[in-house]
PDB file of all heavy atoms in Angstrom:
ATOM      1  N   LEU A   1       0.872  -1.200  -0.003  1.00 97.00           N
ATOM      2  CA  LEU A   1       0.018   0.016  -0.002  1.00 97.00           C
ATOM      3  C   LEU A   1       0.886   1.227  -0.006  1.00 97.00           C
ATOM      4  O   LEU A   1       0.521   2.252  -0.649  1.00 97.00           O
ATOM      5  CB  LEU A   1      -0.965   0.004   1.178  1.00 97.00           C
ATOM      6  CG  LEU A   1      -2.044  -1.051   1.176  1.00 97.00           C
ATOM      7  CD1 LEU A   1      -2.773  -1.108   2.511  1.00 97.00           C
ATOM      8  CD2 LEU A   1      -2.992  -0.875   0.022  1.00 97.00           C
ATOM      9  N   ASP A   2       1.967   1.216   0.718  1.00 97.00           N
ATOM     10  CA  ASP A   2       2.881   2.344   0.730  1.00 97.00           C
ATOM     11  C   ASP A   2       3.457   2.579  -0.674  1.00 97.00           C
ATOM     12  O   ASP A   2       3.572   3.766  -1.116  1.00 97.00           O
ATOM     13  CB  ASP A   2       4.097   2.151   1.684  1.00 97.00           C
ATOM     14  CG  ASP A   2       3.655   2.207   3.165  1.00 97.00           C
ATOM     15  OD1 ASP A   2       2.554   2.725   3.481  1.00 97.00           O
ATOM     16  OD2 ASP A   2       4.444   1.685   3.976  1.00 97.00           O
ATOM     17  N   ARG A   3       3.739   1.506  -1.405  1.00 97.00           N
ATOM     18  CA  ARG A   3       4.246   1.642  -2.728  1.00 97.00           C
ATOM     19  C   ARG A   3       3.168   2.197  -3.689  1.00 97.00           C
ATOM     20  O   ARG A   3       3.426   2.986  -4.551  1.00 97.00           O
ATOM     21  CB  ARG A   3       4.735   0.249  -3.257  1.00 97.00           C
ATOM     22  CG  ARG A   3       5.506   0.376  -4.571  1.00 97.00           C
ATOM     23  CD  ARG A   3       6.884   0.973  -4.372  1.00 97.00           C
ATOM     24  NE  ARG A   3       7.672   0.861  -5.625  1.00 97.00           N
ATOM     25  CZ  ARG A   3       7.822   1.861  -6.494  1.00 97.00           C
ATOM     26  NH1 ARG A   3       7.241   3.036  -6.294  1.00 97.00           N
ATOM     27  NH2 ARG A   3       8.518   1.719  -7.621  1.00 97.00           N
ATOM     28  N   ALA A   4       1.951   1.772  -3.484  1.00 97.00           N
ATOM     29  CA  ALA A   4       0.825   2.177  -4.285  1.00 97.00           C
ATOM     30  C   ALA A   4       0.589   3.699  -4.150  1.00 97.00           C
ATOM     31  O   ALA A   4       0.211   4.391  -5.091  1.00 97.00           O
ATOM     32  CB  ALA A   4      -0.432   1.424  -3.993  1.00 97.00           C
ATOM     33  N   ARG A   5       0.850   4.194  -2.924  1.00 95.00           N
ATOM     34  CA  ARG A   5       0.591   5.583  -2.649  1.00 95.00           C
ATOM     35  C   ARG A   5       1.629   6.502  -3.377  1.00 95.00           C
ATOM     36  O   ARG A   5       1.404   7.707  -3.502  1.00 95.00           O
ATOM     37  CB  ARG A   5       0.623   5.891  -1.121  1.00 95.00           C
ATOM     38  CG  ARG A   5      -0.522   5.268  -0.365  1.00 95.00           C
ATOM     39  CD  ARG A   5      -0.529   5.633   1.071  1.00 95.00           C
ATOM     40  NE  ARG A   5      -1.504   4.895   1.838  1.00 95.00           N
ATOM     41  CZ  ARG A   5      -1.176   3.862   2.666  1.00 95.00           C
ATOM     42  NH1 ARG A   5       0.063   3.462   2.773  1.00 95.00           N
ATOM     43  NH2 ARG A   5      -2.091   3.223   3.284  1.00 95.00           N
ATOM     44  N   GLU A   6       2.728   5.941  -3.787  1.00 96.00           N
ATOM     45  CA  GLU A   6       3.759   6.727  -4.506  1.00 96.00           C
ATOM     46  C   GLU A   6       3.344   6.888  -5.986  1.00 96.00           C
ATOM     47  O   GLU A   6       3.955   7.723  -6.697  1.00 96.00           O
ATOM     48  CB  GLU A   6       5.090   5.927  -4.456  1.00 96.00           C
ATOM     49  CG  GLU A   6       5.663   5.815  -3.078  1.00 96.00           C
ATOM     50  CD  GLU A   6       6.933   4.943  -3.039  1.00 96.00           C
ATOM     51  OE1 GLU A   6       7.415   4.559  -4.103  1.00 96.00           O
ATOM     52  OE2 GLU A   6       7.354   4.588  -1.954  1.00 96.00           O
ATOM     53  N   ILE A   7       2.294   6.212  -6.447  1.00 96.00           N
ATOM     54  CA  ILE A   7       1.841   6.302  -7.809  1.00 96.00           C
ATOM     55  C   ILE A   7       0.897   7.454  -7.894  1.00 96.00           C
ATOM     56  O   ILE A   7      -0.074   7.507  -7.052  1.00 96.00           O
ATOM     57  CB  ILE A   7       1.217   5.001  -8.258  1.00 96.00           C
ATOM     58  CG1 ILE A   7       2.241   3.822  -8.169  1.00 96.00           C
ATOM     59  CG2 ILE A   7       0.621   5.108  -9.694  1.00 96.00           C
ATOM     60  CD1 ILE A   7       1.570   2.470  -8.364  1.00 96.00           C
ATOM     61  N   PRO A   8       1.014   8.380  -8.850  1.00 95.00           N
ATOM     62  CA  PRO A   8       0.096   9.517  -8.904  1.00 95.00           C
ATOM     63  C   PRO A   8      -1.342   8.998  -8.975  1.00 95.00           C
ATOM     64  O   PRO A   8      -1.702   8.062  -9.590  1.00 95.00           O
ATOM     65  CB  PRO A   8       0.539  10.251 -10.202  1.00 95.00           C
ATOM     66  CG  PRO A   8       1.979   9.842 -10.328  1.00 95.00           C
ATOM     67  CD  PRO A   8       2.131   8.447  -9.777  1.00 95.00           C
ATOM     68  N   GLU A   9      -2.236   9.807  -8.269  1.00 92.00           N
ATOM     69  CA  GLU A   9      -3.615   9.335  -8.190  1.00 92.00           C
ATOM     70  C   GLU A   9      -4.336   9.333  -9.512  1.00 92.00           C
ATOM     71  O   GLU A   9      -5.348   8.632  -9.704  1.00 92.00           O
ATOM     72  CB  GLU A   9      -4.388  10.252  -7.213  1.00 92.00           C
ATOM     73  CG  GLU A   9      -3.889  10.071  -5.772  1.00 92.00           C
ATOM     74  CD  GLU A   9      -4.716  10.852  -4.778  1.00 92.00           C
ATOM     75  OE1 GLU A   9      -5.719  11.529  -5.248  1.00 92.00           O
ATOM     76  OE2 GLU A   9      -4.406  10.887  -3.586  1.00 92.00           O
ATOM     77  N   ASP A  10      -3.896  10.166 -10.491  1.00 93.00           N
ATOM     78  CA  ASP A  10      -4.552  10.169 -11.788  1.00 93.00           C
ATOM     79  C   ASP A  10      -3.991   9.055 -12.786  1.00 93.00           C
ATOM     80  O   ASP A  10      -4.407   8.982 -13.899  1.00 93.00           O
ATOM     81  CB  ASP A  10      -4.371  11.518 -12.448  1.00 93.00           C
ATOM     82  CG  ASP A  10      -2.869  11.916 -12.690  1.00 93.00           C
ATOM     83  OD1 ASP A  10      -2.013  11.164 -12.125  1.00 93.00           O
ATOM     84  OD2 ASP A  10      -2.712  12.953 -13.398  1.00 93.00           O
ATOM     85  N   THR A  11      -3.064   8.153 -12.218  1.00 96.00           N
ATOM     86  CA  THR A  11      -2.581   7.051 -13.021  1.00 96.00           C
ATOM     87  C   THR A  11      -3.310   5.816 -12.712  1.00 96.00           C
ATOM     88  O   THR A  11      -3.475   5.459 -11.538  1.00 96.00           O
ATOM     89  CB  THR A  11      -1.064   6.849 -12.721  1.00 96.00           C
ATOM     90  OG1 THR A  11      -0.316   8.042 -13.046  1.00 96.00           O
ATOM     91  CG2 THR A  11      -0.538   5.672 -13.521  1.00 96.00           C
ATOM     92  N   PRO A  12      -3.929   5.131 -13.699  1.00 96.00           N
ATOM     93  CA  PRO A  12      -4.580   3.885 -13.410  1.00 96.00           C
ATOM     94  C   PRO A  12      -3.685   2.861 -12.747  1.00 96.00           C
ATOM     95  O   PRO A  12      -2.499   2.813 -13.069  1.00 96.00           O
ATOM     96  CB  PRO A  12      -5.085   3.427 -14.764  1.00 96.00           C
ATOM     97  CG  PRO A  12      -5.036   4.552 -15.678  1.00 96.00           C
ATOM     98  CD  PRO A  12      -3.951   5.474 -15.134  1.00 96.00           C
ATOM     99  N   LEU A  13      -4.265   2.079 -11.797  1.00 97.00           N
ATOM    100  CA  LEU A  13      -3.460   1.097 -11.030  1.00 97.00           C
ATOM    101  C   LEU A  13      -4.034  -0.255 -11.210  1.00 97.00           C
ATOM    102  O   LEU A  13      -5.206  -0.494 -11.173  1.00 97.00           O
ATOM    103  CB  LEU A  13      -3.434   1.533  -9.557  1.00 97.00           C
ATOM    104  CG  LEU A  13      -2.896   0.489  -8.533  1.00 97.00           C
ATOM    105  CD1 LEU A  13      -1.384   0.416  -8.748  1.00 97.00           C
ATOM    106  CD2 LEU A  13      -3.264   0.935  -7.116  1.00 97.00           C
ATOM    107  N   ALA A  14      -3.111  -1.220 -11.404  1.00 98.00           N
ATOM    108  CA  ALA A  14      -3.436  -2.597 -11.383  1.00 98.00           C
ATOM    109  C   ALA A  14      -2.366  -3.382 -10.575  1.00 98.00           C
ATOM    110  O   ALA A  14      -1.377  -2.778 -10.219  1.00 98.00           O
ATOM    111  CB  ALA A  14      -3.552  -3.229 -12.817  1.00 98.00           C
ATOM    112  N   LEU A  15      -2.710  -4.624 -10.215  1.00 98.00           N
ATOM    113  CA  LEU A  15      -1.742  -5.385  -9.359  1.00 98.00           C
ATOM    114  C   LEU A  15      -1.443  -6.750 -10.036  1.00 98.00           C
ATOM    115  O   LEU A  15      -2.335  -7.358 -10.641  1.00 98.00           O
ATOM    116  CB  LEU A  15      -2.398  -5.674  -8.014  1.00 98.00           C
ATOM    117  CG  LEU A  15      -2.623  -4.481  -7.086  1.00 98.00           C
ATOM    118  CD1 LEU A  15      -4.071  -4.052  -7.200  1.00 98.00           C
ATOM    119  CD2 LEU A  15      -2.326  -4.763  -5.622  1.00 98.00           C
ATOM    120  N   PHE A  16      -0.242  -7.195  -9.809  1.00 98.00           N
ATOM    121  CA  PHE A  16       0.276  -8.509 -10.309  1.00 98.00           C
ATOM    122  C   PHE A  16       1.086  -9.199  -9.170  1.00 98.00           C
ATOM    123  O   PHE A  16       1.822  -8.528  -8.503  1.00 98.00           O
ATOM    124  CB  PHE A  16       1.195  -8.325 -11.512  1.00 98.00           C
ATOM    125  CG  PHE A  16       1.900  -9.594 -11.884  1.00 98.00           C
ATOM    126  CD1 PHE A  16       1.250 -10.551 -12.680  1.00 98.00           C
ATOM    127  CD2 PHE A  16       3.155  -9.924 -11.398  1.00 98.00           C
ATOM    128  CE1 PHE A  16       1.875 -11.754 -13.052  1.00 98.00           C
ATOM    129  CE2 PHE A  16       3.788 -11.122 -11.713  1.00 98.00           C
ATOM    130  CZ  PHE A  16       3.114 -12.016 -12.528  1.00 98.00           C
ATOM    131  N   GLY A  17       0.837 -10.379  -9.025  1.00 98.00           N
ATOM    132  CA  GLY A  17       1.679 -11.220  -8.105  1.00 98.00           C
ATOM    133  C   GLY A  17       1.708 -12.668  -8.567  1.00 98.00           C
ATOM    134  O   GLY A  17       0.802 -13.173  -9.204  1.00 98.00           O
ATOM    135  N   HIS A  18       2.812 -13.367  -8.287  1.00 97.00           N
ATOM    136  CA  HIS A  18       2.968 -14.765  -8.589  1.00 97.00           C
ATOM    137  C   HIS A  18       3.128 -15.627  -7.347  1.00 97.00           C
ATOM    138  O   HIS A  18       3.895 -15.222  -6.441  1.00 97.00           O
ATOM    139  CB  HIS A  18       4.179 -14.968  -9.483  1.00 97.00           C
ATOM    140  CG  HIS A  18       4.445 -16.429  -9.820  1.00 97.00           C
ATOM    141  ND1 HIS A  18       3.715 -17.127 -10.729  1.00 97.00           N
ATOM    142  CD2 HIS A  18       5.368 -17.319  -9.358  1.00 97.00           C
ATOM    143  CE1 HIS A  18       4.141 -18.392 -10.835  1.00 97.00           C
ATOM    144  NE2 HIS A  18       5.162 -18.523  -9.987  1.00 97.00           N
ATOM    145  N   SER A  19       2.352 -16.668  -7.218  1.00 94.00           N
ATOM    146  CA  SER A  19       2.376 -17.611  -6.083  1.00 94.00           C
ATOM    147  C   SER A  19       2.168 -16.804  -4.781  1.00 94.00           C
ATOM    148  O   SER A  19       1.093 -16.248  -4.601  1.00 94.00           O
ATOM    149  CB  SER A  19       3.744 -18.308  -6.094  1.00 94.00           C
ATOM    150  OG  SER A  19       3.695 -19.506  -5.334  1.00 94.00           O
ATOM    151  N   PHE A  20       3.151 -16.815  -3.899  1.00 95.00           N
ATOM    152  CA  PHE A  20       2.986 -16.026  -2.644  1.00 95.00           C
ATOM    153  C   PHE A  20       2.637 -14.562  -2.965  1.00 95.00           C
ATOM    154  O   PHE A  20       1.773 -13.987  -2.346  1.00 95.00           O
ATOM    155  CB  PHE A  20       4.305 -16.114  -1.854  1.00 95.00           C
ATOM    156  CG  PHE A  20       4.487 -15.018  -0.803  1.00 95.00           C
ATOM    157  CD1 PHE A  20       3.765 -15.099   0.416  1.00 95.00           C
ATOM    158  CD2 PHE A  20       5.318 -13.857  -1.074  1.00 95.00           C
ATOM    159  CE1 PHE A  20       3.960 -14.131   1.349  1.00 95.00           C
ATOM    160  CE2 PHE A  20       5.415 -12.949  -0.111  1.00 95.00           C
ATOM    161  CZ  PHE A  20       4.810 -13.032   1.144  1.00 95.00           C
ATOM    162  N   GLY A  21       3.233 -14.001  -3.965  1.00 97.00           N
ATOM    163  CA  GLY A  21       2.977 -12.580  -4.328  1.00 97.00           C
ATOM    164  C   GLY A  21       1.523 -12.415  -4.863  1.00 97.00           C
ATOM    165  O   GLY A  21       0.961 -11.350  -4.625  1.00 97.00           O
ATOM    166  N   ALA A  22       0.979 -13.452  -5.393  1.00 97.00           N
ATOM    167  CA  ALA A  22      -0.468 -13.364  -5.873  1.00 97.00           C
ATOM    168  C   ALA A  22      -1.394 -13.231  -4.624  1.00 97.00           C
ATOM    169  O   ALA A  22      -2.401 -12.483  -4.694  1.00 97.00           O
ATOM    170  CB  ALA A  22      -0.817 -14.512  -6.712  1.00 97.00           C
ATOM    171  N   LEU A  23      -1.140 -13.990  -3.625  1.00 97.00           N
ATOM    172  CA  LEU A  23      -1.951 -13.899  -2.364  1.00 97.00           C
ATOM    173  C   LEU A  23      -1.836 -12.510  -1.722  1.00 97.00           C
ATOM    174  O   LEU A  23      -2.837 -11.925  -1.330  1.00 97.00           O
ATOM    175  CB  LEU A  23      -1.530 -15.000  -1.363  1.00 97.00           C
ATOM    176  CG  LEU A  23      -1.633 -16.444  -1.861  1.00 97.00           C
ATOM    177  CD1 LEU A  23      -1.106 -17.350  -0.737  1.00 97.00           C
ATOM    178  CD2 LEU A  23      -3.052 -16.772  -2.135  1.00 97.00           C
ATOM    179  N   VAL A  24      -0.610 -11.993  -1.768  1.00 98.00           N
ATOM    180  CA  VAL A  24      -0.425 -10.659  -1.181  1.00 98.00           C
ATOM    181  C   VAL A  24      -1.126  -9.598  -2.090  1.00 98.00           C
ATOM    182  O   VAL A  24      -1.761  -8.694  -1.571  1.00 98.00           O
ATOM    183  CB  VAL A  24       1.119 -10.332  -1.158  1.00 98.00           C
ATOM    184  CG1 VAL A  24       1.304  -8.850  -0.739  1.00 98.00           C
ATOM    185  CG2 VAL A  24       1.761 -11.232  -0.199  1.00 98.00           C
ATOM    186  N   ALA A  25      -0.990  -9.719  -3.375  1.00 98.00           N
ATOM    187  CA  ALA A  25      -1.731  -8.810  -4.271  1.00 98.00           C
ATOM    188  C   ALA A  25      -3.195  -8.832  -4.108  1.00 98.00           C
ATOM    189  O   ALA A  25      -3.927  -7.824  -4.124  1.00 98.00           O
ATOM    190  CB  ALA A  25      -1.385  -9.090  -5.737  1.00 98.00           C
ATOM    191  N   HIS A  26      -3.753 -10.066  -3.865  1.00 97.00           N
ATOM    192  CA  HIS A  26      -5.157 -10.226  -3.634  1.00 97.00           C
ATOM    193  C   HIS A  26      -5.629  -9.501  -2.342  1.00 97.00           C
ATOM    194  O   HIS A  26      -6.569  -8.752  -2.341  1.00 97.00           O
ATOM    195  CB  HIS A  26      -5.466 -11.727  -3.479  1.00 97.00           C
ATOM    196  CG  HIS A  26      -6.919 -12.042  -3.053  1.00 97.00           C
ATOM    197  ND1 HIS A  26      -7.189 -12.609  -1.852  1.00 97.00           N
ATOM    198  CD2 HIS A  26      -8.071 -11.861  -3.756  1.00 97.00           C
ATOM    199  CE1 HIS A  26      -8.485 -12.711  -1.750  1.00 97.00           C
ATOM    200  NE2 HIS A  26      -9.097 -12.296  -2.853  1.00 97.00           N
ATOM    201  N   GLU A  27      -4.821  -9.627  -1.300  1.00 97.00           N
ATOM    202  CA  GLU A  27      -5.201  -8.929  -0.039  1.00 97.00           C
ATOM    203  C   GLU A  27      -4.958  -7.435  -0.141  1.00 97.00           C
ATOM    204  O   GLU A  27      -5.749  -6.682   0.389  1.00 97.00           O
ATOM    205  CB  GLU A  27      -4.268  -9.468   1.166  1.00 97.00           C
ATOM    206  CG  GLU A  27      -4.475 -10.920   1.442  1.00 97.00           C
ATOM    207  CD  GLU A  27      -5.964 -11.190   1.835  1.00 97.00           C
ATOM    208  OE1 GLU A  27      -6.553 -10.437   2.608  1.00 97.00           O
ATOM    209  OE2 GLU A  27      -6.488 -12.207   1.343  1.00 97.00           O
ATOM    210  N   THR A  28      -3.953  -7.017  -0.927  1.00 98.00           N
ATOM    211  CA  THR A  28      -3.710  -5.575  -1.153  1.00 98.00           C
ATOM    212  C   THR A  28      -4.931  -5.022  -1.889  1.00 98.00           C
ATOM    213  O   THR A  28      -5.426  -3.901  -1.607  1.00 98.00           O
ATOM    214  CB  THR A  28      -2.412  -5.395  -1.950  1.00 98.00           C
ATOM    215  OG1 THR A  28      -1.305  -5.966  -1.195  1.00 98.00           O
ATOM    216  CG2 THR A  28      -2.179  -3.875  -2.177  1.00 98.00           C
ATOM    217  N   ALA A  29      -5.450  -5.692  -2.888  1.00 97.00           N
ATOM    218  CA  ALA A  29      -6.616  -5.260  -3.669  1.00 97.00           C
ATOM    219  C   ALA A  29      -7.752  -5.083  -2.748  1.00 97.00           C
ATOM    220  O   ALA A  29      -8.557  -4.065  -2.829  1.00 97.00           O
ATOM    221  CB  ALA A  29      -6.924  -6.236  -4.789  1.00 97.00           C
ATOM    222  N   HIS A  30      -7.980  -5.972  -1.857  1.00 96.00           N
ATOM    223  CA  HIS A  30      -9.115  -5.889  -0.854  1.00 96.00           C
ATOM    224  C   HIS A  30      -8.934  -4.675  -0.003  1.00 96.00           C
ATOM    225  O   HIS A  30      -9.932  -3.958   0.315  1.00 96.00           O
ATOM    226  CB  HIS A  30      -9.287  -7.120  -0.005  1.00 96.00           C
ATOM    227  CG  HIS A  30     -10.126  -8.185  -0.602  1.00 96.00           C
ATOM    228  ND1 HIS A  30     -11.506  -8.050  -0.583  1.00 96.00           N
ATOM    229  CD2 HIS A  30      -9.842  -9.416  -1.194  1.00 96.00           C
ATOM    230  CE1 HIS A  30     -12.089  -9.140  -1.112  1.00 96.00           C
ATOM    231  NE2 HIS A  30     -11.083  -9.924  -1.512  1.00 96.00           N
ATOM    232  N   ARG A  31      -7.713  -4.390   0.421  1.00 96.00           N
ATOM    233  CA  ARG A  31      -7.456  -3.232   1.297  1.00 96.00           C
ATOM    234  C   ARG A  31      -7.691  -1.912   0.527  1.00 96.00           C
ATOM    235  O   ARG A  31      -8.239  -0.989   1.060  1.00 96.00           O
ATOM    236  CB  ARG A  31      -6.018  -3.324   1.819  1.00 96.00           C
ATOM    237  CG  ARG A  31      -5.796  -4.376   2.905  1.00 96.00           C
ATOM    238  CD  ARG A  31      -6.061  -3.869   4.308  1.00 96.00           C
ATOM    239  NE  ARG A  31      -5.197  -2.795   4.707  1.00 96.00           N
ATOM    240  CZ  ARG A  31      -3.996  -2.927   5.192  1.00 96.00           C
ATOM    241  NH1 ARG A  31      -3.445  -4.122   5.348  1.00 96.00           N
ATOM    242  NH2 ARG A  31      -3.302  -1.820   5.595  1.00 96.00           N
ATOM    243  N   LEU A  32      -7.309  -1.903  -0.738  1.00 96.00           N
ATOM    244  CA  LEU A  32      -7.559  -0.668  -1.526  1.00 96.00           C
ATOM    245  C   LEU A  32      -9.013  -0.478  -1.701  1.00 96.00           C
ATOM    246  O   LEU A  32      -9.539   0.687  -1.572  1.00 96.00           O
ATOM    247  CB  LEU A  32      -6.878  -0.845  -2.876  1.00 96.00           C
ATOM    248  CG  LEU A  32      -5.329  -0.737  -2.906  1.00 96.00           C
ATOM    249  CD1 LEU A  32      -4.754  -1.229  -4.206  1.00 96.00           C
ATOM    250  CD2 LEU A  32      -4.884   0.773  -2.662  1.00 96.00           C
ATOM    251  N   VAL A  33      -9.771  -1.501  -1.984  1.00 95.00           N
ATOM    252  CA  VAL A  33     -11.233  -1.446  -2.208  1.00 95.00           C
ATOM    253  C   VAL A  33     -11.874  -0.986  -0.872  1.00 95.00           C
ATOM    254  O   VAL A  33     -12.766  -0.091  -0.879  1.00 95.00           O
ATOM    255  CB  VAL A  33     -11.832  -2.739  -2.716  1.00 95.00           C
ATOM    256  CG1 VAL A  33     -13.309  -2.704  -2.653  1.00 95.00           C
ATOM    257  CG2 VAL A  33     -11.341  -3.014  -4.133  1.00 95.00           C
ATOM    258  N   ALA A  34     -11.457  -1.582   0.219  1.00 94.00           N
ATOM    259  CA  ALA A  34     -12.112  -1.248   1.482  1.00 94.00           C
ATOM    260  C   ALA A  34     -11.790   0.268   1.875  1.00 94.00           C
ATOM    261  O   ALA A  34     -12.658   0.896   2.503  1.00 94.00           O
ATOM    262  CB  ALA A  34     -11.562  -2.168   2.595  1.00 94.00           C
ATOM    263  N   GLY A  35     -10.596   0.711   1.468  1.00 89.00           N
ATOM    264  CA  GLY A  35     -10.269   2.100   1.769  1.00 89.00           C
ATOM    265  C   GLY A  35     -11.091   3.069   1.006  1.00 89.00           C
ATOM    266  O   GLY A  35     -11.235   4.168   1.400  1.00 89.00           O
ATOM    267  N   GLY A  36     -11.527   2.616  -0.188  1.00 84.00           N
ATOM    268  CA  GLY A  36     -12.430   3.451  -1.000  1.00 84.00           C
ATOM    269  C   GLY A  36     -11.817   4.524  -1.822  1.00 84.00           C
ATOM    270  O   GLY A  36     -12.454   5.134  -2.659  1.00 84.00           O
ATOM    271  N   ALA A  37     -10.514   4.778  -1.610  1.00 76.00           N
ATOM    272  CA  ALA A  37      -9.874   5.863  -2.317  1.00 76.00           C
ATOM    273  C   ALA A  37      -9.399   5.472  -3.736  1.00 76.00           C
ATOM    274  O   ALA A  37      -9.380   6.290  -4.625  1.00 76.00           O
ATOM    275  CB  ALA A  37      -8.635   6.377  -1.514  1.00 76.00           C
ATOM    276  N   ARG A  38      -9.123   4.198  -3.869  1.00 88.00           N
ATOM    277  CA  ARG A  38      -8.526   3.793  -5.201  1.00 88.00           C
ATOM    278  C   ARG A  38      -8.835   2.323  -5.430  1.00 88.00           C
ATOM    279  O   ARG A  38      -8.301   1.438  -4.825  1.00 88.00           O
ATOM    280  CB  ARG A  38      -7.024   3.946  -5.149  1.00 88.00           C
ATOM    281  CG  ARG A  38      -6.360   3.938  -6.473  1.00 88.00           C
ATOM    282  CD  ARG A  38      -4.915   4.340  -6.383  1.00 88.00           C
ATOM    283  NE  ARG A  38      -4.370   4.767  -7.671  1.00 88.00           N
ATOM    284  CZ  ARG A  38      -3.193   5.294  -7.789  1.00 88.00           C
ATOM    285  NH1 ARG A  38      -2.444   5.568  -6.769  1.00 88.00           N
ATOM    286  NH2 ARG A  38      -2.776   5.681  -8.987  1.00 88.00           N
ATOM    287  N   VAL A  39      -9.718   2.068  -6.425  1.00 92.00           N
ATOM    288  CA  VAL A  39     -10.008   0.706  -6.789  1.00 92.00           C
ATOM    289  C   VAL A  39      -9.177   0.293  -7.976  1.00 92.00           C
ATOM    290  O   VAL A  39      -9.122   1.020  -9.013  1.00 92.00           O
ATOM    291  CB  VAL A  39     -11.606   0.599  -7.148  1.00 92.00           C
ATOM    292  CG1 VAL A  39     -11.896  -0.790  -7.636  1.00 92.00           C
ATOM    293  CG2 VAL A  39     -12.454   0.993  -6.021  1.00 92.00           C
ATOM    294  N   PRO A  40      -8.438  -0.813  -7.838  1.00 95.00           N
ATOM    295  CA  PRO A  40      -7.630  -1.247  -8.961  1.00 95.00           C
ATOM    296  C   PRO A  40      -8.441  -1.460 -10.263  1.00 95.00           C
ATOM    297  O   PRO A  40      -9.534  -1.918 -10.231  1.00 95.00           O
ATOM    298  CB  PRO A  40      -6.989  -2.542  -8.430  1.00 95.00           C
ATOM    299  CG  PRO A  40      -7.165  -2.470  -6.956  1.00 95.00           C
ATOM    300  CD  PRO A  40      -8.419  -1.722  -6.747  1.00 95.00           C
ATOM    301  N   GLU A  41      -7.801  -1.289 -11.365  1.00 95.00           N
ATOM    302  CA  GLU A  41      -8.368  -1.513 -12.681  1.00 95.00           C
ATOM    303  C   GLU A  41      -8.460  -2.990 -12.905  1.00 95.00           C
ATOM    304  O   GLU A  41      -9.362  -3.548 -13.628  1.00 95.00           O
ATOM    305  CB  GLU A  41      -7.514  -0.854 -13.811  1.00 95.00           C
ATOM    306  CG  GLU A  41      -7.387   0.591 -13.696  1.00 95.00           C
ATOM    307  CD  GLU A  41      -8.661   1.332 -14.139  1.00 95.00           C
ATOM    308  OE1 GLU A  41      -9.332   0.886 -15.010  1.00 95.00           O
ATOM    309  OE2 GLU A  41      -8.986   2.389 -13.505  1.00 95.00           O
ATOM    310  N   ARG A  42      -7.493  -3.821 -12.368  1.00 96.00           N
ATOM    311  CA  ARG A  42      -7.498  -5.235 -12.617  1.00 96.00           C
ATOM    312  C   ARG A  42      -6.531  -5.883 -11.603  1.00 96.00           C
ATOM    313  O   ARG A  42      -5.540  -5.278 -11.169  1.00 96.00           O
ATOM    314  CB  ARG A  42      -7.038  -5.573 -14.048  1.00 96.00           C
ATOM    315  CG  ARG A  42      -6.965  -7.034 -14.385  1.00 96.00           C
ATOM    316  CD  ARG A  42      -6.674  -7.258 -15.891  1.00 96.00           C
ATOM    317  NE  ARG A  42      -7.818  -6.771 -16.679  1.00 96.00           N
ATOM    318  CZ  ARG A  42      -8.862  -7.509 -17.023  1.00 96.00           C
ATOM    319  NH1 ARG A  42      -8.922  -8.700 -16.606  1.00 96.00           N
ATOM    320  NH2 ARG A  42      -9.831  -6.958 -17.749  1.00 96.00           N
ATOM    321  N   LEU A  43      -6.849  -7.081 -11.234  1.00 97.00           N
ATOM    322  CA  LEU A  43      -5.920  -7.948 -10.436  1.00 97.00           C
ATOM    323  C   LEU A  43      -5.458  -9.095 -11.260  1.00 97.00           C
ATOM    324  O   LEU A  43      -6.256  -9.865 -11.817  1.00 97.00           O
ATOM    325  CB  LEU A  43      -6.676  -8.474  -9.195  1.00 97.00           C
ATOM    326  CG  LEU A  43      -5.910  -9.471  -8.276  1.00 97.00           C
ATOM    327  CD1 LEU A  43      -4.612  -8.894  -7.737  1.00 97.00           C
ATOM    328  CD2 LEU A  43      -6.845  -9.974  -7.172  1.00 97.00           C
ATOM    329  N   VAL A  44      -4.161  -9.185 -11.398  1.00 98.00           N
ATOM    330  CA  VAL A  44      -3.596 -10.313 -12.151  1.00 98.00           C
ATOM    331  C   VAL A  44      -2.873 -11.243 -11.224  1.00 98.00           C
ATOM    332  O   VAL A  44      -1.914 -10.822 -10.521  1.00 98.00           O
ATOM    333  CB  VAL A  44      -2.619  -9.861 -13.235  1.00 98.00           C
ATOM    334  CG1 VAL A  44      -2.060 -10.996 -14.063  1.00 98.00           C
ATOM    335  CG2 VAL A  44      -3.258  -8.761 -14.150  1.00 98.00           C
TER     336      VAL A  44
END
């Protein structure tokens, strides 16, 4: 989430993770959605 906040708000955001990283990306997407400020364009 800290890394995501470094991305300008007007830039579309998506997430990618492999294996362990995919589980983390999934949880990060949920946190972003729950926060309401930035919904990812896609989760890969």
